[in-house]
Amino acid sequence: MRLKEIRKSKGISQLKLALELNTNQNTISRYETGEREPGIAELIKIADYFDVSVDYLLERTDNPKMQK
Amino acid sequence: MRLKEIRKSKGISQLKLALELNTNQNTISRYETGEREPGIAELIKIADYFDVSVDYLLERTDNPKMQK
DNA sequence: TTCATTATATCCCAAATTGGGATATTTTTA
DNA sequence: TAAAAATATCCCAATTTGGGATATAATGAA
């Protein structure tokens, strides 16, 4: 996941992101370290929050935005 | 997930898909009925097998292909 | 139609994975 | 360098998962 990179580019902390997504800071940390992975619903929440495609979030494309 | 629709458009059975993805027919069935959901690795396997974007698979875009 | 075959859904269960609270560690900054 | 902020890790109960087995549904040939 490109989560850490995206989050940092927006300049927000794990804690702030966690609050925005109604989860915990440790959960975000574990997504970023790859220790755990989000389910689909969470994946989509993250992509939507940052306004990027899931494919981009998963490092499957260089283009951040999904096609409509 | 748009899995059932995509699979049918390719004219293959759950069993054949399961064999291609090294899993079981009942697992595919449950993805299609929404009873269970795949992890990220499986999601990507499915998208790659059908050559569609994860966003398309997840019904987040009308365009099947991801951008490179 | 009926019977056989193929396709799909569901049951049970052990194992793996998850999220949260608490806390430790690391990083930043005053 | 001490306090504060940010991030990582520990433990654990609870949820979720995949697989084997099997039930149900759909297809189609005779």
Side-chain angles (χ1 to χ4, degrees):
Chain A
M1 272 229 278
R2 233 190 292 241
L3 177 54
K4 185 171 194 167
E5 166 195 329
I6 296 172
R7 179 180 57 80
K8 293 217 152 185
S9 81
K10 300 286 181 181
I12 86 174
S13 70
Q14 291 181 347
L15 179 58
K16 175 156 170 30
L17 178 59
L19 294 172
E20 297 279 355
L21 303 180
N22 287 314
T23 183
N24 294 279
Q25 175 271 323
N26 64 19
T27 296
I28 301 297
S29 171
R30 289 188 280 209
Y31 293 165
E32 293 190 356
T33 61
E35 196 201 294
R36 310 252 170 117
E37 69 177 36
I40 292 176
E42 201 71 3
L43 201 59
I44 288 174
K45 268 204 226 172
I46 295 170
D48 283 348
Y49 178 77
F50 289 115
D51 193 33
V52 298
S53 68
V54 172
D55 286 284
Y56 182 76
L57 186 56
L58 298 181
E59 305 182 345
R60 290 170 48 84
T61 170
D62 290 340
N63 191 325
K65 305 260 184 187
M66 80 184 99
Q67 330 151 84
K68 281 296 165 5
Chain B
M1 273 230 278
R2 235 191 290 242
L3 177 54
K4 186 170 194 168
E5 167 196 329
I6 296 172
R7 178 180 58 81
K8 293 217 154 186
S9 80
K10 299 286 181 181
I12 85 173
S13 69
Q14 292 181 346
L15 180 57
K16 174 156 171 32
L17 178 58
L19 294 173
E20 297 279 356
L21 302 180
N22 288 313
T23 183
N24 293 279
Q25 175 272 322
N26 63 20
T27 296
I28 301 297
S29 171
R30 289 188 280 209
Y31 293 164
E32 292 189 357
T33 62
E35 197 202 289
R36 310 252 171 119
E37 68 177 35
I40 292 176
E42 202 71 3
L43 201 61
I44 288 174
K45 268 204 227 174
I46 295 171
D48 283 348
Y49 177 78
F50 289 115
D51 194 32
V52 299
S53 68
V54 171
D55 285 284
Y56 182 77
L57 186 56
L58 297 181
E59 304 180 337
R60 290 169 48 83
T61 171
D62 291 341
N63 190 325
K65 305 262 184 185
M66 79 182 102
Q67 331 153 82
K68 282 299 163 8

